[in-house]
């Protein structure tokens, strides 16, 4: 489960970097670019939500035997 959370964190981080990079470009804000960026930000919010769900699930699991 911890590896799943780590993969979601890395996915969210990479996606966030890509969105920030796309926001820095000097392209004009057209209607299509606005809708694409809206979809990217919603996807980023979904990744963060998955990380929070995995964190909550991990917090409620019993400790592993070492």
């Amino acid at each position: 489960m911890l590896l799943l959370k780590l993969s979601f964190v890395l996915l969210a981080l990479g996606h966030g970097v890509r969105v920030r990079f796309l926001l820095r470009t000097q392209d004009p804000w057209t209607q299509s670019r606005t809708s694409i960026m809206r979809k990217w930000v919603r996807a980023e919010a979904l990744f963060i939500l998955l990380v929070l769900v995995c964190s909550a699930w991990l917090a409620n699991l019993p400790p592993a035997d070492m």
Side-chain angles (χ1 to χ4, degrees), residues 38-51:
R38 192 175 301 141
K39 289 177 187 176
W40 280 95
V41 171
R42 284 182 185 156
E44 187 176 357
L46 179 66
F47 287 139
I48 297 299
L49 183 63
L50 287 173
V51 168

Side-chain angles (χ1 to χ4, degrees), residues 4-60:
L4 183 65
K5 179 186 172 187
L6 180 64
S7 63
F8 281 140
V9 166
L10 291 176
L11 238 145
L13 183 66
H15 184 73
V17 167
R18 181 174 166 87
V19 167
R20 290 340 177 250
F21 179 72
L22 290 174
L23 284 173
R24 285 189 170 188
T25 61
Q26 299 298 326
D27 297 337
W29 282 95
T30 61
Q31 182 68 25
S32 63
R33 184 171 182 222
T34 304
S35 65
I36 289 170
M37 292 307 292
R38 192 175 301 141
K39 289 177 187 176
W40 280 95
V41 171
R42 284 182 185 156
E44 187 176 357
L46 179 66
F47 287 139
I48 297 299
L49 183 63
L50 287 173
V51 168
L52 290 174
V53 167
C54 288
S55 295
W57 191 13
L58 279 172
N60 290 324

